[in-house]
Amino acid sequence: MSGVVSQPLPNSWQVKKLRYLTTVLGGGTPDKSKPEFWGGDIPWVSPKDMKKSEIFQTEDCITEEGLQSSATNLVDPQAVLVVVRSGILRHSIPVAVNMVPVSLNQDMRALICGDTISPRYLARFIEGYQRELLSIWSKEGATVESLDADEMASTEIAVPPLPQQALILQFLDSELAVVDTLIEAKQKLLGLLAEKRRTLVAEAVMRGLDRSASLRPSRIDWLGDIPAHWEVERSHWLFNERDERSETGKEEMLTVSHITGVTPRSQKDVNMFEAETTAGYKLCFTGDLVINTLWAWMGAMGTAPVDGIVSPAYNVYTPGPRLLPAYVDALVRIPVFAQEVTRYSKGVWSSRLRLYPEGFFETFWPVPPIDEQEQIVARIAEERVKIDKLANATERSIGLLKERRSALIAAAVAGQIDIPEAA
């Protein structure tokens, strides 16, 4: 069966190609420059909405005029929605059933099921065999991960009689509820650990480690009260801008994000535009503060862990002797600092704000004594190890639960589990 289901199927089951089971509808995007096309009452499904197995609402909605003006289609309820173009297709195939009429963007497809297959059963089949289906459906040579429509249509699906499909779905709903509850609890734990880590760092860099130390008003809104022996200084007196350029572009390319800070691009699994030459890119050295000018408002900044080069659109600053680079990295990565630099950023829209050097140099910083900065960064590193150890163990257990979940679905939709009829 095209390498998807290799086990023998029950005698009453059929094997059919997807093209004989479904009709496919595509999508499109109304002109975003025309406000009359947007903000209506027709849900417009894009990959970002595909986080649940059932779609009731979406982040964006379009109007009837927007629907008629574009290549999108109105999809009646009970279709199987599949993401066909997205980076997430590297490892999974998002699939869901729409419970209300929806429209689609161009990265989505709707599979309209015929009389012989239940939409929920087909969605479960894709979910259970997504690893195998990815190996068949993935389009080779695409710049962004995509699914091949012809391969999808030619894939053979195991199709039990409709009453048996209903029993399988009933069985899976019951069994998966237990697994999903465990996964949800562990994901909630990951969220709590992440919050604990953020709180730990924020309290350490803004209040120090000695909870008995007397405090004084910093007179800086985002800082509030600080230890009385700390100083407060404008960044203009703490940093020097570095604008040195690479002659060859052969240095290590570094990237800056709000999630990971500054990291070598070689260590990240990214699919992004690469310039023909990186000669003329900005040099940065270990300990330099690098700020992604366009995404500073989101917290895309941090200190460089190694020497390298960054985009000419970024800004690079060298901390002076009063600040440890590790302390700088910890402070700029807390959300409240990103909020503070937003005040000094320029731009018409919040999503297009840019933090230029003249704005950055207006910010104020807490400046603990150097020995105290050393203690702060040491404590942060120590506590991070503990938190990360627990988070990694939790992530591994979530991974095992998800594998168990997929295996259970795959076995059920391949007839490998004896499911008794309801009494």
Side-chain angles (χ1 to χ4, degrees):
M1 287 182 54
S2 301
V4 178
V5 179
S6 57
Q7 305 94 332
L9 297 174
N11 293 333
S12 61
W13 291 33
Q14 295 181 318
V15 175
K16 293 187 177 182
K17 290 184 177 180
L18 195 57
R19 62 163 47 94
Y20 301 126
L21 296 168
T22 64
T23 301
V24 180
L25 288 179
T29 300
D31 190 339
K32 291 194 172 183
S33 69
K34 296 187 176 181
E36 63 268 26
F37 292 169
W38 296 90
D41 55 6
I42 302 174
W44 184 71
V45 183
S46 66
K48 64 185 177 183
D49 299 303
M50 298 288 285
K51 298 179 178 69
K52 295 184 177 181
S53 60
E54 296 181 338
I55 299 294
F56 288 92
Q57 57 186 8
T58 54
E59 289 190 26
D60 300 304
C61 292
I62 62 174
T63 62
E64 182 66 31
E65 190 177 356
L67 176 70
Q68 299 300 327
S69 73
S70 68
T72 191
N73 291 283
L74 187 64
V75 181
D76 289 333
Q78 298 297 312
V80 179
L81 309 184
V82 183
V83 175
V84 296
R85 185 177 182 273
S86 171
I88 199 172
L89 294 171
R90 296 171 190 168
H91 53 77
S92 59
I93 304 175
V95 59
V97 175
N98 61 309
M99 309 307 289
V100 297
V102 300
S103 57
L104 307 174
N105 92 337
Q106 63 274 13
D107 297 331
M108 302 290 305
R109 293 293 182 273
L111 307 180
I112 314 300
C113 293
D115 296 335
T116 59
I117 191 166
S118 159
R120 289 189 63 231
Y121 175 82
L122 178 56
R124 287 295 193 195
F125 187 95
I126 296 172
E127 188 179 4
Y129 279 95
Q130 59 183 310
R131 184 178 301 175
E132 293 83 356
L133 291 172
L134 272 176
S135 67
I136 299 171
W137 292 356
S138 293
K139 185 181 295 185
E140 296 183 1
T143 55
V144 177
E145 282 70 16
S146 306
L147 301 185
D148 189 295
D150 290 336
E151 291 291 350
M152 291 178 66
S154 300
T155 301
E156 293 177 326
I157 304 294
V159 186
L162 284 171
Q164 188 66 23
Q165 292 179 38
L167 289 174
I168 290 171
L169 290 171
Q170 184 179 357
F171 167 80
L172 287 175
D173 287 345
S174 175
E175 296 296 318
L176 294 179
V178 178
V179 180
D180 290 343
T181 298
L182 289 172
I183 292 175
E184 184 179 355
K186 290 181 179 294
Q187 288 174 332
K188 186 176 294 185
L189 174 59
L190 285 178
L192 292 173
L193 290 173
E195 181 59 31
K196 180 179 180 180
R197 178 170 171 162
R198 287 191 292 268
T199 301
L200 161 75
V201 175
E203 290 183 350
V205 298
M206 295 172 64
R207 298 291 181 272
L209 303 179
D210 184 2
R211 293 294 177 266
S212 64
S214 59
L215 302 177
R216 67 175 176 86
S218 68
R219 294 183 174 83
I220 305 300
D221 289 343
W222 77 275
L223 277 178
D225 294 341
I226 61 172
H229 62 288
W230 286 19
E231 297 178 335
V232 175
E233 189 65 86
R234 196 183 293 275
S235 58
H236 175 77
W237 305 108
L238 298 171
F239 294 87
N240 292 308
E241 184 181 5
R242 185 193 297 279
D243 191 9
E244 302 173 36
R245 304 300 176 113
S246 169
E247 295 182 359
T248 64
K250 300 298 183 182
E251 295 85 353
E252 176 86 55
M253 173 63 74
L254 305 180
T255 183
V256 187
S257 84
H258 68 287
I259 299 174
T260 56
V262 182
T263 52
R265 180 182 287 185
S266 59
Q267 295 180 7
K268 300 192 72 173
D269 182 19
V270 294
N271 186 5
M272 57 195 304
F273 169 78
E274 293 188 16
E276 292 184 5
T277 177
T278 50
Y281 273 44
K282 287 186 178 180
L283 290 170
C284 65
F285 298 93
T286 303
D288 280 352
L289 172 61
V290 185
I291 298 180
N292 183 328
T293 309
L294 182 59
W295 298 108
W297 64 275
M298 285 188 65
M301 59 189 93
T303 55
V306 295
D307 296 349
I309 54 175
V310 296
S311 166
Y314 295 173
N315 291 109
V316 181
Y317 306 92
T318 302
R322 297 169 63 189
L323 290 175
L324 292 178
Y327 177 81
V328 171
D329 188 72
L331 191 143
V332 300
R333 301 283 301 283
I334 60 177
V336 69
F337 186 79
Q339 296 170 13
E340 173 65 8
V341 300
T342 301
R343 296 177 55 225
Y344 301 98
S345 300
K346 294 182 178 180
V348 178
W349 297 291
S350 60
S351 61
R352 287 294 180 267
L353 292 174
R354 288 169 170 81
L355 180 65
Y356 297 112
E358 59 268 27
F360 171 73
F361 284 136
E362 288 294 312
T363 61
F364 282 91
W365 286 58
V367 185
I370 285 293
D371 61 340
E372 196 167 344
Q373 291 183 44
E374 292 174 342
Q375 295 169 13
I376 289 170
V377 298
R379 175 68 63 81
I380 289 174
E382 178 184 348
E383 295 299 320
R384 276 178 172 172
V385 168
K386 297 176 184 177
I387 294 172
D388 290 349
K389 184 177 180 180
L390 180 54
N392 290 336
T394 303
E395 287 175 345
R396 286 193 297 271
S397 66
I398 290 175
L400 291 172
L401 285 169
K402 288 183 176 180
E403 288 180 10
R404 176 185 172 188
R405 189 181 192 279
S406 294
L408 180 63
I409 297 173
V413 298
Q416 301 304 303
I417 298 177
D418 185 18
I419 301 174
E421 294 190 18

